[in-house]
């Protein structure tokens, strides 16, 4: 695995597709544990500004490091390891966000925390969201939902929007695609529906893996039945993260997979629309 120099890797990045490794490697294990327990410090792969695709308006996106899933089509496998990220105190992250708060309000945007899986560091994430809300900034959490039970009902109030990544309705296929069970994610989705918290569903469309019409139909029926899904983003698979798999020395099984055709994207959107959902 290549070594990275923290000096050459400022927190702000042009995009999350910059490979980042080992930036938190000098943080002692005990400090990592303390950070996770208190939420006073978190690990961020990077943050980017000006995103128009990670929630409403124009967003600052904090990309957290650490993920327990191993999706075959992950675009950012360098975010799997928490200590690949840069250690950042919640004060520093808040201070950085403060610089953008007026612009974010003018552009009807806000702060999105994505990853990696942000709820791996749920205390840090919740502290940062609380700070964002205190300065009037809209908050969005992009999550695979697996650790949704770490967030209390009261804490969910600090999250204006959940961008929930649904992968497949089929439990076996879910395990094959991600290495993890689908149950906790769907349970979180049902809980968000019960609490009437706003959700946008994100669905990565990968030819040969997540394009089966029957399977998409089941996912769409589930999402449509929740009653709190304002929109579905069908995200076409791409190969921008391929080089990261190579550089990290992880076997990548999707070398030859092409992005989905316009017709396949349309067919998939139609399956979601058939369940009364709005797609983008
Ligand atoms: S949940 Fe997201 S970050 Fe984690 S492996 Fe899957 S695609 Fe990658």
């Amino acid at each position: 695995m290549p070594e990275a120099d923290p000096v050459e890797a400022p927190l702000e990045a042009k995009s999350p597709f910059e490979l980042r490794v080992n930036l938190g490697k000098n943080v002692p294990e005990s400090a990592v544990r303390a950070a996770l327990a208190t939420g006073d410090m978190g690990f961020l792969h990077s943050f980017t500004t000006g995103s128009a695709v990670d929630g409403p308006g124009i967003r600052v996106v904090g990309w957290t490091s650490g993920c327990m899933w191993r999706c075959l089509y992950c675009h950012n496998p360098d975010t799997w390891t928490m200590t690949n990220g840069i250690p950042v105190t919640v004060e520093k992250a808040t201070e950085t966000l403060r610089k953008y708060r007026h612009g974010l309000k003018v552009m009807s945007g806000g702060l999105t925390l994505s990853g990696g899986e942000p709820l791996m560091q749920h205390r840090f994430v919740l502290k940062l969201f609380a700070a964002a809300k205190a300065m009037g900034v809209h908050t969005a959490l992009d999550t695979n939902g697996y650790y949704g039970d770490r967030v209390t009902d009261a804490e969910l109030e600090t999250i204006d929007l959940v961008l929930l990544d649904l992968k497949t309705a089929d439990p076996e296929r879910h395990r094959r695609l991600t290495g993890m069970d689908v149950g906790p994610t769907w349970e979180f989705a049902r809980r968000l529906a019960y609490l009437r918290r706003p959700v946008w569903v994100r669905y990565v469309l990968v030819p040969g893996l997540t394009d089966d019409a029957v399977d998409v139909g089941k996912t769409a029926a589930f999402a449509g039945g929740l009653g709190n899904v304002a929109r579905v983003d069908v995200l076409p698979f791409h190969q921008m993260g391929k080089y990261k798999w190579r550089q990290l020395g992880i076997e990548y099984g999707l070398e030859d997979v092409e992005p989905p055709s316009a017709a396949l994207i349309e067919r998939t959107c139609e399956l979601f629309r058939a369940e009364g959902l709005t797609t983008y």
Side-chain angles (χ1 to χ4, degrees):
M1 186 182 289
E3 293 284 308
D5 180 352
V7 177
E8 291 174 6
L11 189 53
E12 183 165 6
K14 287 195 180 64
S15 93
F17 296 108
E18 285 181 14
L19 179 76
R20 295 188 173 209
V21 292
N22 289 336
L23 299 177
K25 69 175 177 176
N26 292 327
V27 181
E29 181 60 35
S30 57
V32 174
R33 275 202 300 275
L36 291 175
T38 63
D40 289 341
M41 185 178 80
F43 290 83
L44 289 180
H45 172 276
S46 56
F47 82 88
T48 53
T49 57
S51 167
V53 295
D54 295 292
I58 301 298
R59 324 276 309 171
V60 165
V61 185
W63 305 93
T64 62
S65 53
C67 186
M68 63 299 198
W69 287 19
R70 294 292 176 262
C71 300
L72 300 179
Y73 47 86
C74 183
H75 297 145
N76 292 309
D78 52 334
T79 64
W80 291 352
T81 306
M82 196 169 297
T83 51
N84 274 352
I86 301 172
V88 182
T89 62
V90 77
E91 285 82 11
K92 174 78 195 301
T94 305
E95 194 185 299
T96 304
L97 180 64
R98 195 179 302 281
K99 292 184 206 156
Y100 297 98
R101 73 184 192 284
H102 294 305
L104 291 174
K105 279 184 211 164
V106 169
M107 293 180 289
S108 305
L111 168 69
T112 299
L113 291 179
S114 184
E117 170 46 52
L119 294 184
M120 289 281 284
Q121 310 181 51
H122 67 292
R123 293 189 201 284
F124 173 74
V125 160
L126 291 167
K127 280 191 174 177
L128 191 49
F129 277 153
K133 292 295 295 172
M135 58 178 105
V137 172
H138 179 277
T139 56
L141 171 73
D142 180 14
T143 178
N144 64 33
Y146 192 85
Y147 285 143
D149 62 356
R150 291 182 171 188
V151 185
T152 67
D153 292 356
E155 287 165 341
L156 279 175
E157 298 285 327
T158 65
I159 305 171
D160 293 314
L161 175 67
V162 175
L163 307 173
L164 187 62
D165 304 321
L166 297 183
K167 314 286 185 183
T168 169
D170 181 86
E172 272 313 308
R173 190 185 303 227
H174 195 276
R175 216 167 286 121
R176 255 195 335 273
L177 290 179
T178 71
M180 301 295 274
D181 287 337
V182 70
T185 299
W186 285 40
E187 212 167 287
F188 186 48
R190 289 191 193 96
R191 183 169 152 233
L192 291 168
Y194 176 75
L195 295 169
R196 299 187 182 281
R197 302 302 303 160
V199 167
W200 290 6
V201 162
R202 309 187 111 189
Y203 188 82
V204 181
L205 179 60
V206 191
L209 286 184
T210 64
D211 60 347
D212 178 79
V214 174
D215 191 41
V216 175
K218 285 184 191 165
T219 304
F222 173 71
L226 292 170
N228 63 331
V229 176
R231 66 185 259 176
V232 177
D233 290 313
V234 174
L235 307 172
F237 168 76
H238 58 70
Q239 292 282 14
M240 283 170 71
K242 176 158 84 172
Y243 86 101
K244 289 189 172 185
W245 289 74
R246 281 205 199 115
Q247 293 208 17
L248 292 167
I250 316 170
E251 194 183 340
Y252 183 56
L254 277 62
E255 286 280 346
D256 303 322
V257 176
E258 298 284 337
S261 65
L264 179 56
I265 295 170
E266 177 51 27
R267 187 192 78 179
T268 305
C269 287
E270 186 47 44
L271 290 164
F272 281 100
R273 287 199 293 267
E275 298 295 337
L277 295 160
T278 304
T279 57
Y280 287 86

